[in-house]
Amino acid sequence: RRHSRGRDASAISHHYDVSNTFYEWVLGPSMAYTCACYPTADASLEQAQAHKFDLVAWKIGLASGMRLLDVGCGWGGMVLHAAREYGVKALGVTLSEQQALWAQQAIKKAGLEDLAEVRHLDYRDVRETDFDAISSIGITEHIGKANVPGYFAFLNGKLKVGGRMLN
């Protein structure tokens, strides 16, 4: 099957497990692979990435003490931002082993182990439920058109009643 767990893991590994050093050169310190949102014309890439994460946080109503699931978290940018800036307990999942290792080291370096966690895990294997919010920034293209309804149904089942999701 085109989007079986094994094939998805292999495709992600082929693309993202090239080298974290390579991605550090390309993406800069935020290691954010998705688009940026520039608050001003002269903003730096780092400011634009932080602004994007703040925009996501605002749209899903993040506040201290909430629980966030970040699906396809990459190198953990949203997870780190949510924990550091909002006091959110954030769990990120990625199919890339190298992304997960990089994010785990970044979390430890930032001293956020009590709030932030990134797992090398398929989103379909997340067992926890009752998240206050879910963010999914730029992974829909990896889901496959036929799987989109099941993807959203699965994630909806992970939210608390009244929780918010941003895709």
Side-chain angles (χ1 to χ4, degrees), residues 75-142:
W75 291 271
M78 183 64 195
V79 169
L80 285 157
H81 191 83
R84 182 178 52 246
E85 303 299 327
Y86 294 88
V88 169
K89 187 158 182 70
L91 168 62
V93 295
T94 176
L95 283 175
S96 167
E97 183 177 11
Q98 290 302 307
Q99 287 178 337
L101 290 171
W102 193 96
Q104 291 160 0
Q105 291 170 353
I107 289 166
K108 187 172 185 175
K109 183 178 178 182
L112 293 169
E113 301 99 306
D114 59 329
L115 290 176
E117 178 185 2
V118 169
R119 297 179 192 159
H120 176 224
L121 187 70
D122 190 298
Y123 77 90
R124 294 166 284 198
D125 295 325
V126 172
R127 297 202 181 278
E128 293 90 342
T129 59
D130 293 327
F131 288 96
D132 297 289
I134 296 175
S135 56
S136 177
I137 306 170
I139 77 151
T140 308
E141 64 273 16
H142 296 293

